[in-house]
Amino acid sequence: MIALLLILIPLAGGLLTFFTKSERDAKSLSLFTAIITLAVAFAGVYDLLGVEKNTFNTSWLSFIGARFSIGLDGMGKMLCLLTAIAFPLVFGAVYDNTYKKAGTFYGLMLLMQTGLMGVFLATDMLLFYFFWEIVLIPAYFLCSGWGGEKRIAVTFKFFVYTFLGSLLMLVGILYLYYKNPEHSFALQSFYKIRLSAGEENFAFWLFFIAFAIKMPIFPFHTWQPDTYEQAPTAVTMILSGVMVKMGIFAVIRWLVPVFPNATVHFSSLIIILSVTGMLYASLIAIRQDDLKRLIAYSSIAHIGLMCAAIFSNQQVGMQGVIIQMFNHGVNVIGLWIVADAIETQLGTRKFSELGGLAQKAPALAVLLVVMALANIALPLTNAFVGEFMMFNGLFRYNIWMAAISGVSIILAAVYTLNMIQKTFYGNTSIVTDGAVEVSNGVKIMLVILVIVVIVLGVYPQPMLQLTNDAVQAALAGLK
């Protein structure tokens, strides 16, 4: 029942929000819906209604063997919780922002939350695909309707990339369905499929390319910086904080266990691509003059490390990835909140026009520094544990790959400290002379995130316990 509620509540709230006429009503209803969803997510994480309440299974498309089957395991709990935390934080942070057709905007946001929950809950492949596409639809309309000047061209590019990925995945699903003697889309049924080496390698790439585009990793990443830059920041927070996790989640849930031999066979190639992307994105980030583009390239580098750690096929590395999915979502949402606060107040995100903001907004400076240090995985922050485990897994796989990817840590420190210096320190500029402290609403959202960063940095044990089962299931078939 809890799993079902995590889908139904944002869906119902979103549909109601579509019909609200007042902007204030749309904001209040969407925030209320997101808070209720968060409360239900907490109940699911802590099994407050019993483990059996965390699943739901009923007939859906019985004539082809598809079922509406959803459930919360350890990884699902973590990502549903991340989704549930992200939306009220985003709604709270942009509460003072004005959006045309606010009812439609917030309704689409909640529809996107519905799709995300479905992706993380589905235990039927066709249902997973259905929710995967549900996420794309509101994301497309939000980016094209409320984005920047180049939104149409950029959103078209985003749509083409993700649509092609989805098409490949659909071909892969149908291929596996007809190879499956049970003619079922059930997760456990897919795990039992046995293919020849050639068949497995072929189907592996159909799925991997779809997931690689969504993450995204090099060389499937080119839609990401432009989309993050042009999308309204509230949408960018969800794209970067939660939606990209769909691809990583799908690799662990649906790719590695279904194609164990192909996973091992192509590990070296994918790790090389991932590490290349990490270094490339980090170097590009250093040269950025735009705060949103810097965060976008930083995200590509972090996702590259997660992908490399998955394909190291080490338990410690994969567990680090699952933990880091949550932590990266928290940290990057915090950075986007700061970016939105700066852009909303000053009308610019360019470092060349900023400077000295710490004199005008000291609280924002302190909060940004904590989030930025968490983003580069400083010890005692939440990202440290996950990143250490991922590098540990990569080190066990290949010491040279671990060493090369470790260069990205140095590069991350360079672009992050540059960002802090150019934005908050030095002399004020013409633009920042009149800057003032951010609103209490933004400060409250950032303080909540900072508390999460420190608590999980000091005591990560609950996250480690939560992720054990998912790691065991993913690695069970690897040789």
Side-chain angles (χ1 to χ4, degrees):
M1 183 56 72
I2 283 182
L4 188 60
L5 288 175
L6 288 174
I7 294 172
L8 291 181
I9 292 173
L11 177 62
L15 292 176
L16 287 174
T17 308
F18 273 117
F19 296 103
T20 55
K21 301 294 184 185
S22 156
E23 181 174 355
R24 178 176 291 276
D25 289 346
K27 289 178 177 178
S28 301
L29 181 57
S30 56
L31 183 57
F32 176 74
T33 303
I35 291 172
I36 296 296
T37 307
L38 177 59
V40 174
F42 270 118
V45 169
Y46 292 104
D47 296 329
L48 296 183
L49 299 182
V51 176
E52 71 279 3
K53 301 293 184 184
N54 284 340
T55 60
F56 183 82
N57 192 342
T58 189
S59 179
W60 181 37
L61 301 174
S62 54
F63 62 98
I64 54 173
R67 297 185 64 80
F68 194 97
S69 174
I70 53 178
L72 272 171
D73 64 354
M75 185 165 58
K77 286 178 180 178
M78 188 163 288
L79 289 168
C80 285
L81 184 61
L82 172 64
T83 308
I85 289 174
F87 276 82
L89 283 171
V90 172
F91 290 154
V94 302
Y95 198 82
D96 293 332
N97 292 7
T98 300
Y99 297 102
K100 63 179 182 182
K101 299 180 181 177
T104 306
F105 178 86
Y106 285 101
L108 287 170
M109 289 288 285
L110 287 172
L111 184 58
M112 191 155 61
Q113 187 182 26
T114 304
L116 288 164
M117 288 294 189
V119 166
F120 298 139
L121 289 167
T123 54
D124 181 283
M125 189 70 199
L126 197 61
L127 186 65
F128 168 81
Y129 182 79
F130 171 78
F131 283 116
W132 182 278
E133 294 304 294
I134 288 289
V135 176
L136 177 61
I137 295 168
Y140 172 81
F141 285 111
L142 285 164
C143 294
S144 61
W146 287 267
E149 292 180 359
K150 301 175 183 175
R151 64 185 182 280
I152 301 300
V154 167
T155 306
F156 180 73
K157 183 178 179 181
F158 165 67
F159 179 81
V160 169
Y161 262 85
T162 51
F163 180 75
L164 286 175
S166 297
L167 199 59
L168 290 174
M169 180 165 54
L170 181 60
V171 173
I173 292 171
L174 292 173
Y175 183 76
L176 290 185
Y177 175 72
Y178 286 107
K179 286 289 180 181
N180 181 358
E182 297 179 8
H183 288 299
S184 162
F185 294 97
L187 176 68
Q188 293 303 325
S189 180
F190 268 49
Y191 285 1
K192 297 175 186 172
I193 297 175
R194 294 293 175 263
L195 302 172
S196 67
E199 291 172 334
E200 187 170 332
N201 292 345
F202 166 71
F204 173 90
W205 284 105
L206 292 175
F207 285 91
F208 178 76
I209 292 174
F211 301 154
I213 290 172
K214 192 70 80 178
M215 285 191 255
I217 66 161
F218 179 85
F220 305 101
H221 67 285
T222 58
W223 63 268
Q224 195 235 41
D226 294 336
T227 305
Y228 283 14
E229 181 188 19
Q230 291 297 313
T233 307
V235 179
T236 306
M237 292 178 200
I238 298 302
L239 294 180
S240 177
V242 185
M243 198 185 86
V244 296
K245 310 303 183 299
M246 286 168 50
I248 305 167
F249 167 86
V251 169
I252 298 174
R253 170 63 56 81
W254 292 101
L255 188 84
V256 174
V258 176
F259 308 108
N261 298 317
T263 297
V264 174
H265 183 71
F266 294 115
S267 284
S268 297
L269 173 61
I270 294 171
I271 289 175
I272 289 171
L273 289 176
S274 302
V275 173
T276 303
M278 289 167 61
L279 298 178
Y280 161 80
S282 299
L283 289 170
I284 297 290
I286 290 174
R287 298 187 58 82
Q288 293 304 305
D289 187 41
D290 185 295
L291 181 55
K292 286 182 81 171
R293 291 187 74 85
L294 183 146
I295 299 172
Y297 279 107
S298 159
S299 185
I300 292 175
H302 283 99
I303 297 298
L305 176 58
M306 292 183 210
C307 188
I310 291 173
F311 284 90
S312 69
N313 302 324
Q314 304 291 324
Q315 179 169 342
V316 64
M318 190 169 289
Q319 193 163 14
V321 173
I322 299 175
I323 292 171
Q324 198 68 348
M325 279 196 281
F326 182 90
N327 290 328
H328 176 262
V330 167
N331 298 342
V332 81
I333 288 173
L335 292 177
W336 287 120
I337 290 175
V338 174
D340 181 66
I342 292 172
E343 184 180 14
T344 302
Q345 183 183 151
L346 303 176
T348 184
R349 305 184 304 261
K350 293 186 179 299
F351 297 125
S352 55
E353 298 174 1
L354 298 172
L357 268 179
Q359 303 169 35
K360 305 292 181 178
L364 181 65
V366 172
L367 294 168
L368 169 75
V369 168
V370 175
M371 298 308 304
L373 294 180
N375 195 47
I376 57 173
L378 199 75
L380 298 183
T381 64
N382 59 343
F384 174 74
V385 176
E387 196 152 310
F388 178 81
M389 293 174 74
M390 289 191 293
F391 273 112
N392 194 339
L394 208 51
F395 183 84
R396 294 183 187 189
Y397 176 81
N398 185 300
I399 187 171
W400 290 108
M401 279 297 160
I404 294 170
S405 60
V407 174
S408 68
I409 297 176
I410 300 169
L411 298 175
V414 171
Y415 63 70
T416 300
L417 294 177
N418 273 342
M419 174 188 72
I420 296 171
Q421 172 66 31
K422 291 177 179 176
T423 307
F424 285 95
Y425 296 101
N427 297 324
T428 56
S429 66
I430 297 174
V431 175
T432 56
D433 268 341
V436 296
E437 189 61 273
V438 291
S439 68
N440 288 332
V442 172
K443 279 191 277 191
I444 290 170
M445 297 303 125
L446 286 172
V447 166
I448 292 171
L449 289 171
V450 166
I451 291 171
V452 174
V453 164
I454 295 172
V455 169
L456 294 181
V458 174
Y459 186 62
Q461 194 60 30
M463 301 182 77
L464 295 171
Q465 292 172 347
L466 199 60
T467 54
N468 275 330
D469 61 340
V471 175
Q472 296 293 341
L475 294 177
L478 297 187
K479 298 175 181 176

